[in-house]
Amino acid sequence: MKSYLVFVLIILLQACANRNVVKMPCTFKDIGTDIAEKERARLTVLQGRYMAWVNGETRSDMGYTLPEPLLNLSRLNEYTLTTIPLYKFDIKKFYAAPSPKKLPENIIPSRENYILAMDDSGHVKFLFSIKEENDVPVLDFYVDNENDVISWIPDSLSKAKTKDMKIFRCGNREFVTYMKSGKPVYHKITGELFSPEQLCEFFVNGYNCWLEDFKYMKENFPELLRERKKEEKEN
């Protein structure tokens, strides 16, 4: 009888444990972090500028429908905002000794982040980033999520039983990575899955093309190349 009770207890404990593991809903609010006070102050300034624009204080009335981004940014206080840090991929270091196993160590922090604007249901309506020009916050990047470009992320993290992920950029492309069953998983920002081997090959081929273009520009358009380098340093 005692053995039977112990057996039943073990089964019940396992059932409870499994239930706790499986049920792990994840939202963008879980993934991101609250807006820091300094960042919120910058957003207030940015919103004020767009509100002035929408209200006609800094534009003439031309009788056209205002673009959605303009309206959205003038109503930032109506959304729940969360921030997600943006990482970068050190392609030069990786290219020196490329290997699928070395992908994670070349994903490094940057000073940029994305700000996600969510409605009351937690659905991301748009995401953007800001930068400063002459000590004034200005829009750097904006994309509507009307086609649910990134809505796959919370569900994928829930299935992987994690809330930790990184968005990182290589060149002008962005990727998402997180751990699943103890192994790193990689996606394009739009959700397409990459195996580590595929991503390694993708980065190597892409950098080879960049090196060829750089060589061509250096040989044929050195002045233009110098101008581009100057612009990159300024930005």
Side-chain angles (χ1 to χ4, degrees):
M1 182 66 179
K2 185 177 180 181
S3 299
Y4 174 76
L5 289 174
V6 171
F7 175 75
V8 171
L9 181 60
I10 291 173
I11 295 297
L12 288 173
L13 288 172
Q14 287 179 337
C16 290
N18 290 335
R19 182 179 60 191
N20 291 335
V21 169
V22 172
K23 290 187 177 181
M24 190 178 179
C26 183
T27 67
F28 276 110
K29 195 170 183 180
D30 298 320
I31 300 169
T33 56
D34 292 336
I35 304 293
E37 186 175 344
K38 182 179 179 181
E39 188 77 348
R40 193 169 293 280
R42 296 170 69 203
L43 290 172
T44 299
V45 173
L46 185 74
Q47 179 182 354
R49 293 177 63 240
Y50 281 97
M51 285 178 67
W53 189 281
V54 169
N55 293 333
E57 295 175 15
T58 58
R59 68 174 178 87
S60 59
D61 187 2
M62 301 176 67
Y64 62 86
T65 302
L66 289 169
E68 192 70 19
L70 202 66
L71 292 171
N72 285 338
L73 292 167
S74 72
R75 300 190 295 242
L76 285 177
N77 59 305
E78 298 178 14
Y79 297 98
T80 299
L81 303 179
T82 188
T83 182
I84 294 179
L86 180 64
Y87 292 76
K88 59 185 178 181
F89 190 78
D90 192 339
I91 186 63
K92 291 183 179 179
K93 180 181 176 183
F94 179 76
Y95 187 79
S99 166
K101 292 183 178 180
K102 292 186 177 181
L103 287 168
E105 66 187 61
N106 287 285
I107 300 172
I108 57 179
S110 74
R111 291 183 293 177
E112 300 178 73
N113 60 61
Y114 280 151
I115 300 171
L116 279 59
M118 300 175 288
D119 59 20
D120 292 337
S121 67
H123 180 262
V124 175
K125 301 296 291 183
F126 59 95
L127 61 151
F128 65 102
S129 63
I130 58 177
K131 62 181 180 180
E132 289 201 2
E133 289 184 355
N134 299 320
D135 297 324
V136 177
V138 298
L139 185 67
D140 181 41
F141 170 86
Y142 177 98
V143 63
D144 276 305
N145 192 36
E146 60 182 52
N147 295 321
D148 290 335
V149 174
I150 61 171
S151 296
W152 61 273
I153 294 176
D155 184 56
S156 293
L157 294 183
S158 294
K159 291 177 180 176
K161 303 179 181 65
T162 184
K163 293 181 181 179
D164 297 321
M165 65 108 188
K166 291 178 181 177
I167 297 178
F168 66 98
R169 180 181 292 160
C170 183
N172 60 354
R173 296 178 183 269
E174 285 150 345
F175 304 85
V176 175
T177 183
Y178 54 89
M179 300 296 290
K180 184 176 183 180
S181 302
K183 296 180 180 179
V185 177
Y186 303 96
H187 295 264
K188 283 185 180 179
I189 191 70
T190 48
E192 295 92 331
L193 183 66
F194 273 102
S195 69
E197 291 75 19
Q198 288 172 328
L199 190 59
C200 179
E201 183 179 1
F202 181 83
F203 283 159
V204 170
N205 290 341
Y207 196 65
N208 281 334
C209 290
W210 183 86
L211 289 173
E212 290 178 8
D213 291 343
F214 182 82
K215 181 180 178 182
Y216 177 81
M217 291 289 293
K218 188 175 182 180
E219 292 174 351
N220 297 278
F221 304 100
E223 287 295 330
L224 182 59
L225 191 62
R226 279 193 287 270
E227 284 297 319
R228 285 189 179 180
K229 284 185 176 180
K230 183 180 178 181
E231 289 177 3
E232 288 176 0
K233 286 183 179 179
E234 291 176 352
N235 295 329

